[in-house]
Protein backbone atom coordinates (compact mmCIF):
# COMPACT_ATOMS: atom_id res chain seq x y z
CA UNK A 1 0.00 0.00 0.00
CA UNK A 2 1.32 3.42 -0.96
CA UNK A 3 0.93 6.70 0.84
CA UNK A 4 -2.58 8.00 0.15
CA UNK A 5 -4.07 4.57 -0.65
CA UNK A 6 -7.19 3.46 1.19
CA UNK A 7 -6.72 1.80 4.58
CA UNK A 8 -8.63 -1.40 5.40
CA UNK A 9 -11.16 0.57 7.48
CA UNK A 10 -11.70 3.13 4.71
CA UNK A 11 -12.12 0.38 2.11
CA UNK A 12 -14.67 -1.49 4.26
CA UNK A 13 -16.87 1.64 4.27
CA UNK A 14 -16.35 2.51 0.61
CA UNK A 15 -16.71 -0.91 -1.03
CA UNK A 16 -20.38 -1.19 -0.08
CA UNK A 17 -21.11 2.16 -1.74
CA UNK A 18 -19.77 1.12 -5.15
CA UNK A 19 -22.11 -0.40 -7.73
CA UNK A 20 -22.07 -4.14 -8.37
CA UNK A 21 -20.63 -4.84 -11.80
CA UNK A 22 -22.54 -7.48 -13.81
CA UNK A 23 -20.89 -10.89 -14.18
CA UNK A 24 -21.13 -10.88 -17.98
CA UNK A 25 -19.93 -7.33 -18.49
CA UNK A 26 -17.19 -8.35 -20.94
CA UNK A 27 -13.70 -6.93 -20.88
CA UNK A 28 -12.12 -4.83 -18.17
CA UNK A 29 -11.09 -5.28 -14.57
CA UNK A 30 -13.24 -7.53 -12.42
CA UNK A 31 -15.19 -5.82 -9.61
CA UNK A 32 -13.02 -7.41 -6.91
CA UNK A 33 -10.24 -5.11 -8.16
CA UNK A 34 -12.29 -1.97 -7.45
CA UNK A 35 -10.00 -1.08 -4.55
CA UNK A 36 -7.05 -0.70 -6.87
CA UNK A 37 -9.18 1.31 -9.29
CA UNK A 38 -10.37 3.63 -6.51
CA UNK A 39 -6.77 4.07 -5.32
CA UNK A 40 -5.84 5.02 -8.90
CA UNK A 41 -8.69 7.53 -9.05
CA UNK A 42 -7.63 9.02 -5.71
CA UNK A 43 -4.00 9.23 -6.89
CA UNK A 44 -5.06 11.10 -10.02
CA UNK A 45 -7.32 13.51 -8.14
CA UNK A 46 -4.69 14.13 -5.45
CA UNK A 47 -1.87 14.79 -7.94
CA UNK A 48 -3.84 16.53 -10.67
CA UNK A 49 -1.90 14.59 -13.29
CA UNK A 50 -3.41 13.49 -16.61
CA UNK A 51 -5.23 10.14 -16.56
CA UNK A 52 -2.49 8.60 -18.73
CA UNK A 53 0.03 9.28 -15.94
CA UNK A 54 -1.74 7.14 -13.32
CA UNK A 55 0.89 4.58 -12.18
CA UNK A 56 0.43 1.12 -13.72
CA UNK A 57 0.27 -0.47 -10.24
CA UNK A 58 -3.33 0.75 -10.06
CA UNK A 59 -4.23 -0.82 -13.39
CA UNK A 60 -4.74 0.47 -16.90
CA UNK A 61 -5.24 4.24 -16.92
CA UNK A 62 -8.05 3.76 -19.43
CA UNK A 63 -9.91 1.31 -17.17
CA UNK A 64 -9.52 3.69 -14.23
CA UNK A 65 -10.77 6.63 -16.28
CA UNK A 66 -13.74 4.70 -17.71
CA UNK A 67 -14.78 3.43 -14.27
CA UNK A 68 -14.48 6.96 -12.83
CA UNK A 69 -16.57 8.40 -15.64
CA UNK A 70 -19.23 5.65 -15.47
CA UNK A 71 -19.55 6.07 -11.70
CA UNK A 72 -19.70 9.87 -12.08
CA UNK A 73 -22.54 9.64 -14.59
CA UNK A 74 -24.38 7.18 -12.31
CA UNK A 75 -24.14 9.56 -9.30
CA UNK A 76 -21.94 7.20 -7.29
CA UNK A 77 -19.59 9.94 -6.05
CA UNK A 78 -22.50 12.05 -4.75
CA UNK A 79 -23.75 9.04 -2.80
CA UNK A 80 -20.24 8.40 -1.46
CA UNK A 81 -19.83 12.04 -0.37
CA UNK A 82 -23.20 12.15 1.41
CA UNK A 83 -22.66 8.81 3.12
CA UNK A 84 -19.16 9.72 4.30
CA UNK A 85 -20.41 13.09 5.59
CA UNK A 86 -23.17 11.32 7.54
CA UNK A 87 -20.70 8.82 9.00
CA UNK A 88 -18.37 11.63 10.04
CA UNK A 89 -21.23 13.61 11.61
CA UNK A 90 -22.55 10.55 13.47
CA UNK A 91 -19.10 9.76 14.85
CA UNK A 92 -18.37 13.35 15.84
CA UNK A 93 -15.56 13.76 13.33
CA UNK A 94 -15.62 16.93 11.31
CA UNK A 95 -13.27 18.26 8.69
CA UNK A 96 -12.83 21.97 8.24
CA UNK A 97 -10.64 23.46 5.55
CA UNK A 98 -8.22 25.78 7.29
CA UNK A 99 -6.38 27.02 4.22
CA UNK A 100 -5.14 30.58 4.58
CA UNK A 101 -3.98 32.70 1.71
CA UNK A 102 -2.24 35.97 2.38
CA UNK A 103 -3.27 38.73 0.05
CA UNK A 104 -1.31 41.83 -0.82
CA UNK A 105 -2.42 44.88 1.15
CA UNK A 106 -3.69 46.52 -2.02
CA UNK A 107 -6.03 43.55 -2.60
CA UNK A 108 -8.10 44.77 0.34
CA UNK A 109 -8.18 48.35 -0.93
CA UNK A 110 -5.40 49.60 1.32
CA UNK A 111 -2.47 51.71 0.23
CA UNK A 112 0.71 49.88 -0.61
CA UNK A 113 3.42 51.22 1.72
CA UNK A 114 6.02 50.57 -0.97
CA UNK A 115 4.28 52.88 -3.47
CA UNK A 116 5.37 56.49 -3.19
CA UNK A 117 3.43 59.35 -4.58
CA UNK A 118 5.39 62.31 -5.38
Amino acid sequence: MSRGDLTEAEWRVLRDLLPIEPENRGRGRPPEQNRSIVNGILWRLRCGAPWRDVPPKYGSWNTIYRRFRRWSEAGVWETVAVTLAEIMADSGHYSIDSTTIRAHVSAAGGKDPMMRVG
Side-chain angles (χ1 to χ4, degrees), residues 2 5 8-9 16 18 20 27 29 32 40 53 57 66 69 80 86 88 90-91 93 95 99 114 117-118:
S2 298
D5 287 354
E8 283 299 320
D16 296 332
L18 301 177
I20 306 291
R27 298 174 18 179
R29 290 218 176 231
E32 59 270 7
D53 292 343
K57 70 179 181 175
R66 283 186 286 115
R69 186 174 166 132
V80 167
E86 289 170 353
M88 289 175 66
D90 291 345
S91 66
H93 290 88
S95 177
T99 303
M114 300 301 287
V117 180

Side-chain angles (χ1 to χ4, degrees), residues 16-38:
D16 296 332
L17 301 174
L18 301 177
I20 306 291
E21 300 289 328
E23 290 294 323
N24 60 349
R25 71 192 192 308
R27 298 174 18 179
R29 290 218 176 231
E32 59 270 7
Q33 294 184 357
N34 276 345
R35 183 175 183 173
S36 179
I37 300 242
V38 171

